[in-house]
Amino acid sequence: MNPSTKIIVFSNHKGGCGKTSSIVNLAGELGRLGYKILVVDLDAQANASLHIGKLHPSEVKTTAADLLLSKENLLSQAIHEDTYFENVHLIYGDLSLNAAEDKLKDIAPRPNEELEYKLRPLQGLYDVILIDTPPSLRGLTFNALAAATHLVIPIESGSQYGMYGVADLLAIVHRFQETINPKLNVLGVLLIRHDNRLTVCKLIEAIAAQQVGKLLPLRISTSTKVNQAAMLHKTVYGLDPASRVGREFKDLAHYIAEELGLEGKNDGK
Ligand SMILES: Nc1ncnc2c1ncn2[C@@H]1O[C@H](COP(=O)(O)OP(=O)(O)O)[C@@H](O)[C@H]1O
Ligand SMILES: [Mg+2]
């Protein structure tokens, strides 16, 4: 067990850029390597929960929204240990997260720091906590940024609009680093649906490198296996270990483990 739990948030308020797919596959591959992982789903669309969890989000008694809004800490009720992924626990998202975002402002003394406060007792119990965020730059994303030790910015590299909003996200991140979360470390941009042969991808890559300054040295290519794996509650690697995207997500897990200085586990082979 890692003595200091790392908290990684994947954020980019542009919808459909690959946040959830990356979080889920990274969680699954880190779990396969033997690390103890918790996924916190802060998106009302609950896509990560639908992929990893065995329950339908609407049936879950204690969700991320309940955890955020409760006076007493409901962590032990909110954490679901039985998921489709080995070593991966889950705090479910559900539709009530939308309302929770607004209610938090009225009830929490520090509305952006409620998640950080509620997750504090987990220090040392997990190797990595992964937080999936909604497609908006508001309270739920702020709670994730306040709790995180590391940030990954997924960017859809095949889209001419891939960089839209990244400057706003970076401005907010700098604000958090200067005020409530100096430990927040930007790991870099993860280019999703990348194809090195396409000019648009090369352009986005160059602009992302210039604007953010850091690109992860890995790229995720496009494959329909990403959708298939989600429907079958598997990682892409678990679905097809020979697939290119499967190997890319597995390599991402190894890279993150090394970069974050996680203790060595089995190599997953
Ligand atoms: N590398 C990829 N190749 C093909 N489809 C992908 C890839 N990554 C994501 N997708 C698909 O694109 C859609 C949006 O991805 P998702 O991870 O849900 O984005 P976000 O969480 O940022 O909204 C989903 O249907 C997902 O399955
Ligand atoms: Mg998502």
Side-chain angles (χ1 to χ4, degrees):
M1 189 72 54
N2 212 299
S4 83
T5 299
K6 306 291 191 277
I7 305 184
I8 313 178
V9 55
F10 277 55
S11 189
N12 177 350
H13 46 294
K14 185 177 180 302
C17 62
K19 291 181 285 297
T20 301
S21 310
S22 312
I23 283 266
V24 165
N25 278 281
L26 177 59
E29 296 315 326
L30 284 171
R32 192 194 307 281
L33 290 173
Y35 295 108
K36 212 162 176 256
I37 308 298
L38 173 69
V39 172
V40 181
D41 188 354
L42 286 189
D43 187 359
Q45 296 174 82
N47 293 347
S49 304
L50 289 166
H51 189 155
I52 300 172
K54 292 188 172 175
L55 303 172
H56 191 275
S58 61
E59 293 165 4
V60 175
K61 196 161 169 279
T62 310
T63 64
D66 301 310
L67 179 70
L68 283 170
L69 295 176
S70 61
K71 221 182 237 165
E72 72 276 36
N73 200 337
L74 297 179
L75 260 182
S76 53
Q77 291 99 304
I79 294 176
H80 289 73
E81 300 193 356
D82 187 24
T83 71
Y84 284 109
F85 288 7
E86 188 188 350
N87 294 324
V88 178
H89 297 172
L90 172 66
I91 296 181
Y92 282 80
D94 79 324
L95 277 174
S96 63
L97 275 164
N98 284 331
E101 183 163 58
D102 294 326
K103 284 186 202 155
L104 257 185
K105 286 185 224 133
D106 299 327
I107 61 159
R110 293 169 184 248
N112 293 333
E113 294 168 68
E114 197 59 21
L115 184 68
E116 188 274 330
Y117 175 71
K118 294 278 170 57
L119 295 181
R120 246 181 244 172
L122 298 179
Q123 186 60 36
L125 295 182
Y126 288 94
D127 292 301
V128 179
I129 299 176
L130 288 163
I131 308 178
D132 193 15
T133 56
S136 62
L137 201 48
R138 298 183 60 225
L140 293 168
T141 299
F142 295 164
N143 266 275
L145 291 173
T149 55
H150 296 84
L151 168 70
V152 173
I153 307 174
I155 288 180
E156 188 187 347
S157 89
S159 160
Q160 69 271 43
Y161 306 118
M163 291 303 295
Y164 179 75
V166 172
D168 296 328
L169 174 62
L170 286 175
I172 291 282
V173 167
H174 293 149
R175 248 335 244 291
F176 272 75
Q177 287 171 323
E178 282 166 12
T179 55
I180 59 179
N181 190 1
K183 67 186 186 308
L184 178 59
N185 184 333
V186 180
L187 277 176
V189 166
L190 177 63
L191 292 168
I192 311 266
R193 292 171 176 266
H194 189 76
D195 184 340
N196 216 20
R197 296 162 304 180
L198 301 180
T199 306
V200 61
C201 292
K202 285 189 211 152
L203 281 170
I204 292 278
E205 183 173 35
I207 300 168
Q210 192 217 346
Q211 267 197 30
V212 184
K214 286 182 190 168
L215 297 183
L216 298 194
L218 301 125
R219 311 280 181 266
I220 307 294
S221 14
T222 299
S223 166
T224 54
K225 292 212 160 87
V226 173
N227 290 16
Q228 282 170 36
M231 293 185 74
L232 298 169
H233 307 286
K234 293 181 172 188
T235 63
V236 181
Y237 182 79
L239 176 73
D240 181 0
S243 67
R244 179 172 175 169
V245 176
R247 279 185 282 113
E248 289 167 347
F249 280 126
K250 183 165 173 269
D251 291 346
L252 177 66
H254 281 281
Y255 173 80
I256 294 280
E258 177 127 3
E259 198 63 16
L260 268 53
L262 306 184
E263 279 169 25
K265 301 273 173 177
N266 69 64
D267 64 6
K269 284 178 190 140

